[in-house]
Amino acid sequence: MSPSPATEDLERLANGVLWPGFLGTALPAWLGRELRAGLAGVVYFAQNVGPELPALSAAIRAANPHALIGVDEEGGSVTRLEAASGSTVPGAAQLGALDDLEATRATGAELGRRIRAAGADLLLGPVADVNTDPRNPVIGVRAFGADAGLVARHTAAEVEGIQSAGVAACVKHFPGHGDTHVDSHHGLPRIELDPAEIQRVHLAPFRAAIAVGVRAVMTAHIVVPAWGDLPATLNPRVLGMLRTEGFDGVIITDALDMAAIRESAGIGGGAVQALAAGADLLCVGNPTNPGPAAAPDQDERDFRAARDAIVQALQDGALSAERVAEAAARVARLAGILAAEKDAPPSAADRPAADAYDAAAIVRRAVRVQGGLGAPARGLVVLDARSRATLAVDSDGSSLVDVLAGRGWSCRIDTARATTAEVTAAIREAVAAAARVGARLVVLVDRLDADETQQALVARVAAADPGAAVVNTGLAGRAGPLPVVGVLASSRIGAEIAREVLTGARG
């Protein structure tokens, strides 16, 4: 049975504020229909990326010429376009450690060029969070640092770089996800800071981004009790602060399928409440997130949960059509601006800038070594003890290990779950492998600053093989018994530079 004309009008209105993810590398039939019926656009995740990506983007544009296509592409530890091999672009922590604004601006421009080449036009970055809690499980090296001034100036510089390429930047996660020790993909973090400290520290980077004309801001699924019991994404008081700061661009929600929303308001309830609170574009989420529990049509199910709830709220009067129309108009205005810029000829300065960009040189300058490495190693074997991947960060990707080990011997150990006997066996095997081929043993970690099991592993390896070394892709930790190459990103380019530092061989 077809929907009534009145329902069709409400569905079209709701479509104008919805931004789903989807499954596969081709345009699903349901998604094509919704795009033709006014869907605001789509978000690309790793499962959508392949050789046919430009053709996929073209198919989306054919269905809706003004569709916004977004990509969660931060560089460093977070990449969708290079998920299979690891990012070849510096990450925020590397740029913050270097503190070279021109390098950050150039990196933003490079990210923007890559997004545009993929046929997309909205980059979900940079991260504007000030990472003041070292226990933070979801931000960490995704942030430029723990100092508000440093984060603010680099956020602004990267926004300028991204938007110079003719794509929109979206700073995240307002009002700041840096002082949490709960991952909002799995729970609902609470920020117990004094509101004055939040204003002074955590809002500073967002103000800097607004000052340079950022076109979109993404919300955080965090609760600030001083501002109410609702997550920021659903809180009109918090989202209203963006308008008070003079931001007139698009407010985008973080994914509504994250546990912080899904397990409280639900995708549908969250969609309605976010719009009522002042959000403009609803990121539905990544349909692969449920893992093995995902249904074959999880993408369409999640989309319909959001769209049907909005339509019902419009019919019931729980949500005003004027508010949804206002949100849809902001989204359409941004799409129109980006469409005009896409059609404009490239800047004469853009190609030389792209040719001159040297990501390896930037990462090389950002890497820090604690302790003496001694003579260059003839080869490397890798004991990979990084944390398990999260929904935000593929922190344990094997491609990085392959690069660091030169496709030689490696072993994976989950220190948080392994028994003492399993750790002992892994160390013994790694030491033997290094001796067998005359290579240096490298322990690969990512939470050396905060994970006691990783710290204990390093100490045990040092006792078994004093000539070993550590490569740390996370935040810097205290000096330990082994020299540490601090890379500040789980990325392909970081692994390449770490191997170069340890072996003395480039390329």
Side-chain angles (χ1 to χ4, degrees):
M1 183 172 150
S2 298
S4 69
T7 301
E8 286 184 352
D9 290 343
L10 294 179
E11 288 180 347
R12 178 172 283 274
L13 178 61
N15 274 0
V17 298
L18 286 170
W19 213 34
F22 62 98
L23 300 170
T25 57
L27 182 63
W30 74 266
L31 185 55
R33 288 193 302 272
E34 300 301 342
L35 285 162
R36 289 188 289 274
L39 185 65
V42 302
V43 185
Y44 285 157
F45 293 98
Q47 73 269 12
N48 308 123
V49 175
E52 51 279 279
L53 187 60
L56 174 58
S57 297
I60 290 168
R61 302 268 185 230
N64 182 350
H66 293 294
L68 286 174
I69 301 178
V71 188
D72 196 8
E73 189 72 13
E74 299 171 12
S77 297
V78 176
T79 178
R80 310 303 177 211
L81 297 180
E82 297 182 291
S85 59
S87 177
T88 56
V89 179
Q94 293 169 328
L95 294 167
L98 188 57
D99 199 10
D100 178 342
L101 292 179
E102 286 307 311
T104 298
R105 195 172 286 110
T107 296
E110 176 64 16
L111 285 167
R113 284 189 289 267
R114 293 184 181 200
I115 292 296
R116 190 166 176 172
D121 49 17
L122 201 159
L123 189 151
L124 293 172
V127 169
D129 303 317
V130 184
N131 194 67
T132 50
D133 189 337
R135 299 169 298 169
N136 198 318
V138 69
I139 302 301
V141 295
R142 297 171 62 197
F144 290 109
D147 177 80
L150 180 141
V151 175
R153 62 179 177 266
H154 284 275
T155 296
E158 188 160 306
V159 166
E160 290 174 329
I162 290 167
Q163 296 191 165
S164 73
V167 302
C170 175
V171 292
K172 57 190 184 183
H173 308 81
F174 186 84
H177 209 309
D179 200 85
T180 69
H181 58 276
V182 173
D183 182 349
S184 52
H185 292 85
H186 301 292
L188 182 57
R190 295 175 67 87
I191 308 294
E192 303 286 355
L193 298 176
D194 183 275
E197 183 176 352
I198 299 175
Q199 289 278 354
R200 178 177 56 83
V201 175
H202 296 279
L203 298 194
F206 295 96
R207 293 192 187 103
I210 292 168
V212 298
V214 71
R215 286 173 167 161
V217 175
M218 176 171 276
T219 65
H221 302 330
I222 60 170
V223 171
V224 180
W227 294 335
D229 294 329
L230 290 171
T233 298
L234 313 181
N235 190 326
R237 180 176 180 181
V238 176
L239 299 193
M241 293 176 185
L242 278 169
R243 302 306 182 198
T244 301
E245 294 288 348
F247 179 65
D248 192 38
V250 176
I251 298 177
I252 303 176
T253 69
D254 207 345
L256 297 178
D257 69 348
M258 292 164 59
I261 301 297
R262 186 188 67 242
E263 294 179 5
S264 56
I267 290 177
V272 172
Q273 291 183 55
L275 285 168
D280 302 309
L281 185 58
L282 309 180
C283 177
V284 178
N286 184 349
T288 69
N289 283 346
D297 60 345
Q298 190 70 50
D299 47 0
E300 186 176 6
R301 289 188 188 195
D302 290 348
F303 163 74
R304 293 198 179 282
R307 208 264 305 277
D308 291 352
I310 295 169
V311 170
Q312 186 65 53
L314 288 167
Q315 291 172 332
D316 293 347
L319 183 63
S320 77
E322 291 77 14
R323 167 79 271 271
V324 182
E326 175 193 45
R330 275 204 186 92
V331 175
R333 181 178 66 187
L334 176 58
I337 291 170
L338 295 174
E341 292 185 0
K342 179 167 61 70
D343 293 337
S347 163
D350 187 62
R351 190 66 258 163
D355 292 341
Y357 181 72
D358 189 343
I362 292 172
V363 174
R364 198 172 285 121
R365 292 165 58 204
V367 165
R368 302 287 185 267
V369 177
Q370 293 176 293
L373 288 174
R378 289 187 295 169
L380 303 176
V381 301
V382 178
L383 181 57
D384 180 10
R386 289 173 298 161
S387 308
R388 294 161 65 91
T390 69
L391 296 179
V393 183
D394 184 16
S395 57
D396 61 355
S398 62
S399 60
L400 281 62
V401 177
D402 291 341
V403 170
L404 187 59
R407 299 197 174 275
W409 187 94
S410 66
C411 174
R412 175 92 175 101
I413 182 76
D414 184 347
T415 57
R417 298 167 183 255
T419 65
T420 300
E422 288 169 337
V423 172
T424 299
I427 294 172
R428 185 184 301 117
E429 188 178 358
V431 171
R436 191 163 54 246
V437 297
R440 187 173 201 169
L441 170 56
V442 172
V443 185
L444 181 61
V445 297
D446 62 351
R447 296 304 303 266
L448 196 58
D449 61 317
D451 188 324
E452 293 181 356
T453 66
Q454 291 187 8
Q455 295 164 359
L457 176 68
V458 169
R460 292 190 62 185
V461 169
D465 183 356
V470 175
V471 170
N472 180 19
T473 64
L475 298 174
R478 298 185 303 274
L482 295 176
V484 178
V485 180
V487 179
L488 293 169
S490 284
S491 65
R492 181 181 186 85
I493 195 166
E496 289 172 347
I497 300 305
R499 181 174 176 81
E500 175 186 303
V501 168
L502 288 162
T503 64
R506 290 196 180 185

